Amino acid sequence: MAALGWLTPRRRSATARSVLAGEAAAEAARKTSAADDDSALLTGTSEEAPEEPAFPVAGDDRAAAFFDLDNTVMQGAAIFHFGRGLYKRKFFERRELTRFAWQQAWFRLAGVEDPEHMQDARDSALSIVKGHRVSELMSIGEEIYDEYMADRIWPGTRALAQAHLDAGQKVWLVTAAPVETATIIARRLALTGALGTVAESVDGVYTGRLVGEPLHGPAKAEAVRALAAAEGLDLDRCAAYSDSHNDIPMLSLVGHPYAINPDTKLRKYARARDWRLRDYRTGRKAAKVGIPAAAGVGALAGGTAAAVALHRRRR
């Protein structure tokens, strides 16, 4: 992705960089829209719960749905799975894989996005892809999705997205993961497209820098706002789904916010505002919306305990 006026953090305020990141993500998403109405739907097990008003509203072409990716649509973090795939292809050394393994272990155990850990992982990813062609990473990303991500999609969240598609609405992923990785996942799930972190490239080669900043927190809200304006959407009629309190700005932007597999802060915030909640990680009942709930979470991937032990020793 070519640069869109990228400036260093020292020359722009955090707010301005969030806007830049959001606008870059919206532009990239519109260029890589990947709708496919014929893809298969994953399903889970339905559980009875009190009825809710029908949503989404069929035929409302000014409404859309925005889904966070990590721990909302998919178990774990996409950037860590991507890192595992790159290590397998000898893009970097074992000591860097240990860092990725620890980040994945923390994310899976804590169930929340730690800004320091996420930033460290993104910096590592940028240094790894620097000098590589965008087309090369896209091709490898397709393989990595099949190897590490396909089996980690939450069926319940996938069904929620399908409900919006069946109602004739567009569905977008909104994630801090690289837009190329997010676009692959959106395409494989038959979603409309993806808003993600835009890495600068010149003549199709990554420079190792970002356009703006990672699409995280307020930047996600700016991306949704920019895309809604470009698509002619009414945000009051749109829905957003996330697991993290970091996404409260995005959730607060729409008329139909959902807390999915919420962390403690988001659960408390959502309950105080009577937002709808879904939790697909345990056997707890999920509120019925006319589509299936998901199965429980599987065991941690091999190596997690070792990564945690290594981190503790280093502390």
Side-chain angles (χ1 to χ4, degrees):
M1 180 64 61
L4 299 178
W6 182 86
L7 296 174
T8 64
R10 289 186 296 275
R11 293 176 60 190
R12 275 185 177 266
S13 68
T15 299
R17 286 185 288 113
S18 294
V19 172
L20 178 59
E23 291 176 347
E27 180 175 331
R30 297 194 78 212
K31 288 181 178 179
T32 57
S33 177
D36 182 0
D37 295 334
D38 298 325
S39 288
L41 167 64
L42 297 174
T43 58
T45 304
S46 180
E47 294 191 44
E48 293 296 325
E51 294 289 340
E52 293 182 348
F55 188 79
V57 179
D60 187 354
D61 59 4
R62 296 199 63 200
F66 301 94
F67 284 78
D68 168 57
L69 176 59
D70 297 343
N71 213 33
T72 301
V73 171
M74 181 176 67
Q75 299 175 46
I79 194 171
F80 303 138
H81 298 314
F82 189 64
R84 293 170 64 195
L86 291 182
Y87 171 76
K88 179 181 178 181
R89 291 159 177 82
K90 302 186 184 303
F91 270 66
F92 54 92
E93 302 300 323
R94 179 174 293 276
R95 60 189 175 84
E96 292 171 296
L97 177 64
T98 301
R99 180 188 300 175
F100 273 99
W102 158 243
Q103 300 291 350
Q104 174 68 354
W106 174 268
F107 189 87
R108 295 289 293 275
L109 289 171
V112 296
E113 299 174 8
D114 181 280
E116 181 179 350
H117 292 154
M118 300 297 287
Q119 183 64 53
D120 186 35
R122 281 189 288 270
D123 290 344
S124 298
L126 284 170
S127 66
I128 289 166
V129 303
K130 181 180 180 180
H132 289 275
R133 299 198 65 81
V134 175
S135 58
E136 175 191 9
L137 270 295
M138 286 291 287
S139 177
I140 291 173
E142 296 280 358
E143 299 173 2
I144 292 174
Y145 177 84
D146 290 329
E147 293 169 2
Y148 296 109
M149 302 181 189
D151 293 338
R152 291 177 168 83
I153 303 300
W154 291 111
T157 311
R158 177 64 187 88
L160 286 168
Q162 188 64 37
H164 286 277
L165 294 171
D166 290 344
Q169 297 178 7
K170 292 183 177 181
V171 176
W172 304 86
L173 293 180
V174 189
T175 174
V179 67
E180 293 83 5
T181 301
T183 298
I184 290 169
I185 297 170
R187 183 185 302 123
R188 291 302 193 91
L189 296 179
L191 308 182
T192 306
L195 297 150
T197 297
V198 178
E200 181 189 68
S201 65
V202 176
D203 296 328
V205 178
Y206 289 113
T207 66
R209 296 190 295 266
L210 295 181
V211 178
E213 64 182 9
L215 201 70
H216 186 265
K220 282 189 178 182
E222 294 298 336
V224 169
R225 195 192 311 275
L227 184 63
E231 295 273 310
L233 301 173
D234 181 348
L235 287 170
D236 285 339
R237 290 146 74 170
C238 292
Y241 301 79
S242 179
D243 71 293
S244 173
H245 68 279
N246 293 313
D247 288 339
I248 287 174
M250 178 181 75
L251 294 169
S252 300
L253 198 61
V254 301
H256 300 277
Y258 285 74
I260 304 292
N261 305 329
D263 61 35
T264 301
K265 290 182 180 179
L266 179 57
R267 183 180 294 275
K268 182 178 179 180
Y269 191 93
R271 282 178 170 167
R273 287 154 183 80
D274 200 28
W275 289 358
R276 296 177 183 179
L277 287 85
R278 307 285 183 273
D279 201 321
Y280 301 132
R281 297 168 296 186
T282 71
R284 285 176 286 180
K285 284 190 175 182
K288 181 180 178 183
V289 290
I291 52 180
V297 64
L300 291 178
T304 293
V308 173
L310 173 64
H311 177 75
R312 287 174 176 169
R313 287 198 299 271
R314 291 172 62 185
R315 293 178 65 187

